[in-house]
Amino acid sequence: MEYLIHLAILFSIYAILGISLNLVVGYTGLLSITHAAFYGIGAYATAILLTQSGVGFLLSVILGIILAVLASFLIGAVLSKFDGDYYALGSFGFSVIVFSVFLNWQSLTRGPLGILGISKPELFGIDFSSNFAFLILSLLFLIAIYFVSKFIVNSSFGRVLKAIREDEKAIQVFGYNTLYFKLAVFVMSAAMAAVAGSLFASYITFIDTSTFTLMESIFILTIIILGGLANLHGSILGALFLILLPEILRFVGFPTDIAVQMRQVVYGLILILLMLYRPQGLIGEYKL
Amino acid sequence: MTILETKKLEKHFDGVQAVDNLSIGIEKGEIAGIVGPNGSGKTTLINLLSGTLEIDAGAVIINGVQKFENINPWQISFYGITRTFQDVRLFEQMTVLDNILVVLTERNVFSSLFEKHKEYHLKKAEEVLQKVGLWKKKNQLAINLSYGQRKLLEIARTLAMDAEIYLFDEPFAGLFPEMVKIVSDVVKELKREGKTIILIEHNMELIRKLCDYLFVMDEGKLLAEGKPEKVLAKKEVIEAYLGK
């Protein structure tokens, strides 16, 4: 039972990451591979504040969001000038830069040694240190982020995002300075990723740089491509499938250690097969 | 009154002079045709007027007072300009209705986020889609429309803008006669409403029927201008189209 709860917590964290990245990639058509950077900023903010100051979990989440907003504003201001392949390459560059900061700013992040002893959350006097209680907390965050994202994509703003995805030049001649729309959605998405990072740091109680690599961004991208681009339910479905995948591999007879290694191969295969046979993902509304 | 004027407008691509020292004036409320052989610079001119291409030299003057030497595409709607594209550019994976509603949205990020889908927007969308006969297809994805329907949707999208100056780049190309009539009616109605239309077209019969004034371009230059009947009878115009 404990293991199932563990998987459910990981699922809710990755569903938040998937939903938030889908706003940028699925709805706006901007292939960003820098999401793990904002996930990391939220995680480090919570880890550092909870271990080195008397700040509570909620304030650490808020400060993580503020830091992610600031970082994404700076990064997004540059990226929003690009589209297509240039956007993807630019986001790759920023992903590498932020990872290098995590790795080398050792006085703050402790680099590859990581940060130990991050406390479990306590909110409004309620202790979330048991896994079951933490699951409730992470599901509450997931639900909140789902509804905020739903509001965004169903708004007139969301419709402009889709038009940018379809033909940025065409929507510009109708009076939209698309740079602001691209920047705004990028910042919103980063803020949500920071929340996932805070939850992750507080749940695992240890973080190091290995979680926030380019591979993690690609894993989150796989979630939304598998589940479905421009579909919030698709992100949830994708997270569920990919979190359960190692268990499925074990179920079909792979030993645990091989099942873990096989995961990367299967992620790659899934991406190739989807591009070949179902580019919109399982329940997506947009083809890459 | 001259509503749109170009002053010594220039654009070149890698040594090719696409628009060459072009000075023209378009009167408010008239339908101005632009004709010329392929590659004569007609679409480049529309792209310069709509900010989708940068102007190399010269200027554009709107209403005799507002002058720009370069403009961003998102600024043209502030000058009351809207356009269609030679190769239809729709928001393909959005519904027909959303293709219209999106141009009615607030231009500001914050306002658009909290904007309610007002009854007015739906009414306006219905009005323009009815005009081009696409209201019944409002829930279809634009990508699933026929070529002619796609052209009509693009025109409906410009109608939703309530602009003052309409730049139509070959709106009749590839249309069935029934659709040609719909577009002709739209253009005539815009003129009745006092709007100004700049029409790029190759069909001389339509040019004669619709246009009040005609500009003929060749190799980026203005070859002739005047009333369509007179201009189309000029020797140099016939030669530009048919060869010497």
Side-chain angles (χ1 to χ4, degrees):
Chain A
M1 189 62 187
E2 272 299 296
Y3 191 61
L4 281 179
I5 292 172
H6 166 72
L7 290 177
I9 292 169
L10 287 183
F11 151 74
S12 51
I13 290 171
Y14 280 97
I16 291 171
L17 290 168
I19 285 171
S20 52
L21 185 62
N22 217 338
L23 294 177
V24 176
V25 180
Y27 287 93
T28 323
L30 303 168
L31 189 55
S32 167
I33 41 178
T34 190
H35 214 50
F38 306 117
Y39 177 40
I41 286 172
Y44 273 107
T46 289
I48 293 163
L49 288 166
L50 291 186
T51 54
Q52 295 176 22
S53 73
V55 164
F57 176 73
L58 189 61
L59 194 56
S60 83
V61 174
I62 293 167
L63 287 170
I65 290 172
I66 292 170
L67 280 174
V69 164
L70 289 174
S72 62
F73 186 84
L74 293 174
I75 294 171
V78 178
L79 283 184
S80 298
K81 294 183 197 301
F82 303 123
D83 56 16
D85 300 342
Y86 296 103
Y87 193 98
L89 284 171
S91 73
F92 167 75
F94 279 116
S95 177
V96 173
I97 291 168
V98 176
F99 177 75
S100 298
V101 173
F102 290 156
L103 189 65
N104 294 304
W105 196 353
Q106 298 209 3
S107 59
L108 189 71
T109 65
R110 288 172 42 87
L113 297 173
I115 298 173
L116 285 158
I118 306 160
S119 57
K120 294 268 187 178
E122 197 184 300
L123 267 176
F124 310 115
I126 305 166
D127 180 19
F128 290 96
S129 58
S130 79
N131 276 3
F132 183 72
F134 197 95
L135 174 61
I136 304 288
L137 180 69
S138 54
L139 284 174
L140 285 175
F141 272 107
L142 171 60
I143 290 165
I145 279 171
Y146 169 79
F147 281 106
V148 169
S149 302
K150 198 173 173 186
F151 173 79
I152 292 170
V153 300
N154 289 337
S155 68
S156 298
F157 171 81
R159 198 188 282 125
V160 177
L161 295 183
K162 289 180 207 162
I164 291 172
R165 177 190 73 196
E166 295 301 312
D167 192 333
E168 187 174 352
K169 212 66 173 173
I171 191 65
Q172 281 179 345
V173 299
F174 293 101
Y176 296 91
N177 187 345
T178 52
L179 190 140
Y180 295 136
F181 285 82
K182 286 157 75 176
L183 179 58
V185 75
F186 189 70
V187 170
M188 289 175 198
S189 163
M192 294 176 194
V195 173
S198 294
L199 284 171
F200 178 80
S202 186
Y203 172 61
I204 302 290
T205 69
F206 166 77
I207 58 163
D208 67 359
T209 51
S210 65
T211 311
F212 311 108
T213 59
L214 185 67
M215 277 309 293
E216 190 70 0
S217 289
I218 292 171
F219 176 69
I220 306 163
L221 196 62
T222 312
I223 286 177
I224 62 169
I225 291 174
L226 169 69
L229 291 166
N231 186 318
L232 299 178
H233 299 142
S235 306
I236 295 170
L237 188 66
L240 188 66
F241 185 84
L242 287 188
I243 291 299
L244 291 179
L245 183 68
E247 312 311 311
I248 297 166
L249 290 176
R250 270 203 306 202
F251 184 74
V252 295
F254 284 104
T256 309
D257 52 340
I258 296 179
V260 171
Q261 301 306 321
M262 279 294 289
R263 231 173 24 173
Q264 305 294 338
V265 177
V266 175
Y267 294 158
L269 269 176
I270 286 171
L271 276 180
I272 293 165
L273 290 173
L274 282 170
M275 290 304 104
L276 280 173
Y277 299 109
R278 201 168 166 82
Q280 73 271 46
L282 293 174
I283 53 171
E285 290 163 23
Y286 162 63
K287 294 176 191 172
L288 262 183
Chain B
M1 177 204 164
T2 306
I3 192 167
L4 190 148
E5 226 179 325
T6 68
K7 291 273 187 199
K8 296 182 177 177
L9 213 56
E10 301 227 359
K11 182 70 192 175
H12 67 89
F13 301 107
D14 297 328
V16 177
Q17 198 70 35
V19 171
D20 192 356
N21 201 26
L22 188 74
S23 297
I24 59 171
I26 290 152
E27 295 301 303
K28 184 175 165 60
E30 73 176 16
I31 303 173
I34 301 179
V35 299
N38 289 332
S40 59
K42 306 180 298 293
T43 295
T44 304
L45 173 62
I46 296 282
N47 287 338
L48 294 176
L49 295 176
S50 61
T52 40
L53 277 179
E54 265 187 46
I55 296 169
D56 288 344
V60 178
I61 300 164
I62 310 289
N63 288 321
V65 284
Q66 297 165 297
K67 180 178 172 182
F68 61 82
E69 284 164 1
N70 247 318
I71 191 168
N72 289 311
W74 57 86
Q75 291 169 318
I76 64 158
S77 65
F78 305 127
Y79 290 95
I81 302 174
T82 190
R83 68 166 292 178
T84 63
F85 294 88
Q86 188 178 18
D87 299 316
V88 184
R89 293 174 78 161
L90 295 173
F91 309 121
E92 304 278 358
Q93 295 184 60
M94 290 167 69
T95 64
V96 167
L97 182 62
D98 275 349
N99 265 269
I100 303 298
L101 288 176
V102 73
V103 302
L104 297 168
T105 299
E106 292 276 354
R107 268 59 179 169
N108 174 286
V109 167
F110 193 76
S111 313
S112 68
L113 197 53
F114 295 100
E115 181 187 58
K116 302 279 175 215
H117 306 312
K118 291 175 192 156
E119 199 62 20
Y120 163 76
H121 286 173
L122 280 172
K123 264 192 182 166
K124 183 75 191 172
E126 181 177 357
E127 180 197 317
V128 298
L129 286 173
Q130 291 279 21
K131 228 172 243 182
V132 298
L134 287 178
W135 177 243
K136 282 185 182 161
K137 298 197 178 287
K138 63 180 185 292
N139 294 322
Q140 268 194 30
L141 289 182
I143 200 169
N144 295 330
L145 297 178
S146 70
Y147 178 74
Q149 289 167 338
R150 290 159 58 77
K151 285 217 133 186
L152 293 178
L153 179 56
E154 207 188 29
I155 287 165
R157 196 170 60 181
T158 62
L159 295 181
M161 292 292 287
D162 266 336
E164 281 305 313
I165 302 168
Y166 290 78
L167 313 176
F168 288 148
D169 197 348
E170 300 193 24
F172 299 102
L175 294 188
F176 286 109
E178 193 187 326
M179 289 178 173
V180 169
K181 187 179 177 318
I182 293 173
V183 179
S184 295
D185 289 347
V186 165
V187 171
K188 285 176 195 164
E189 194 181 330
L190 285 172
K191 181 181 159 65
R192 273 197 300 277
E193 290 169 3
K195 311 288 189 185
T196 308
I197 298 116
I198 299 174
L199 187 68
I200 294 181
E201 188 48 53
H202 285 295
N203 183 330
M204 293 308 152
E205 197 189 324
L206 284 167
I207 287 286
R208 282 192 182 94
K209 264 191 204 169
L210 292 172
C211 294
D212 302 302
Y213 203 81
L214 190 61
F215 298 96
V216 184
M217 288 180 70
D218 190 26
E219 294 179 351
K221 292 191 179 78
L222 182 66
L223 187 65
E225 66 175 301
K227 294 283 173 195
E229 285 303 334
K230 282 187 181 170
V231 169
L232 291 174
K234 284 186 178 177
K235 191 181 164 212
E236 63 266 33
V237 173
I238 295 166
E239 278 179 1
Y241 261 99
L242 302 173
K244 291 183 184 176

